[in-house]
């Protein structure tokens, strides 16, 4: 792992059913908290708490999108590509691999959000 994220923290986050559902839904497409609330059948406060924990572990990313009416809102995307847990010589090792987005794709999404 490039930045050390505590093994027990990640496992605790992933032990939560709502956190896992958020990851699976946002791995397909970015979603707002309200959409996640509907898809996961959970209250908005529950979704926001899980999103905060997932962001702390860098498992989701947040971006701001502009609505047609001029308001803005946040959407969340899964940032986890791979998680590998190994046990060697009496010690656990956690390796998280994050999605790497092409700079051009990121710029395009940002530009489309502005228009």
């Amino acid at each position: 792992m490039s930045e050390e994220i505590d093994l027990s923290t990640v496992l605790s986050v992933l032990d939560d059913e709502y956190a896992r559902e958020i990851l699976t839904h946002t791995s397909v497409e970015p979603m707002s908290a309200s959409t996640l609330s509907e898809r996961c059948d959970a209250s908005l406060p529950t979704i926001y708490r899980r999103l905060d924990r997932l962001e702390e572990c860098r498992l989701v990313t947040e971006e701001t999108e502009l609505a047609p009416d001029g308001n803005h809102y946040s959407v969340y995307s899964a940032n986890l590509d791979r998680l590998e847990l190994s046990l060697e010589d009496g010690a656990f090792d956690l390796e998280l691999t994050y999605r790497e987005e092409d700079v051009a794709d990121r710029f395009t999404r940002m530009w489309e959000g502005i228009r």
Side-chain angles (χ1 to χ4, degrees), residues 27 34-35 43 51 56 59 62-63 67 69-70 80 99 103 110 113:
S27 70
S34 60
T35 300
S43 69
L51 286 168
E56 287 173 11
L59 299 177
E62 176 185 9
E63 292 194 23
D69 63 2
L80 177 65
R99 293 182 177 183
V103 175
M110 182 182 72

Side-chain angles (χ1 to χ4, degrees), residues 6-98:
D6 184 56
L7 170 65
S8 61
T9 301
V10 172
L11 294 178
S12 174
V13 168
L14 294 176
D15 187 43
D16 182 87
E17 179 183 347
Y18 291 123
R20 289 191 311 271
E21 281 191 64
I22 289 168
L23 280 174
T24 58
H25 288 300
T26 59
S27 70
V28 177
E29 65 180 310
M31 293 187 180
S32 67
S34 60
T35 300
L36 285 165
S37 175
E38 293 169 11
R39 299 264 175 100
C40 298
D41 193 27
S43 69
L44 271 173
T46 297
I47 294 298
Y48 279 117
R49 280 192 302 273
R50 295 331 187 270
L51 286 168
D52 286 343
R53 294 187 71 201
L54 288 163
E55 282 183 291
E56 287 173 11
C57 295
R58 294 182 47 215
L59 299 177
V60 296
T61 58
E62 176 185 9
E63 292 194 23
T64 302
E65 290 201 357
L66 190 62
D69 63 2
N71 290 318
H72 63 279
Y73 62 99
S74 293
V75 293
Y76 301 88
S77 299
N79 191 39
L80 177 65
D81 185 47
R82 180 182 169 130
L83 180 142
E84 185 176 320
L85 180 64
S86 58
L87 175 62
E88 188 173 323
D89 297 327
F92 284 103
D93 182 49
L94 177 66
E95 185 176 333
L96 296 172
T97 306
Y98 300 101

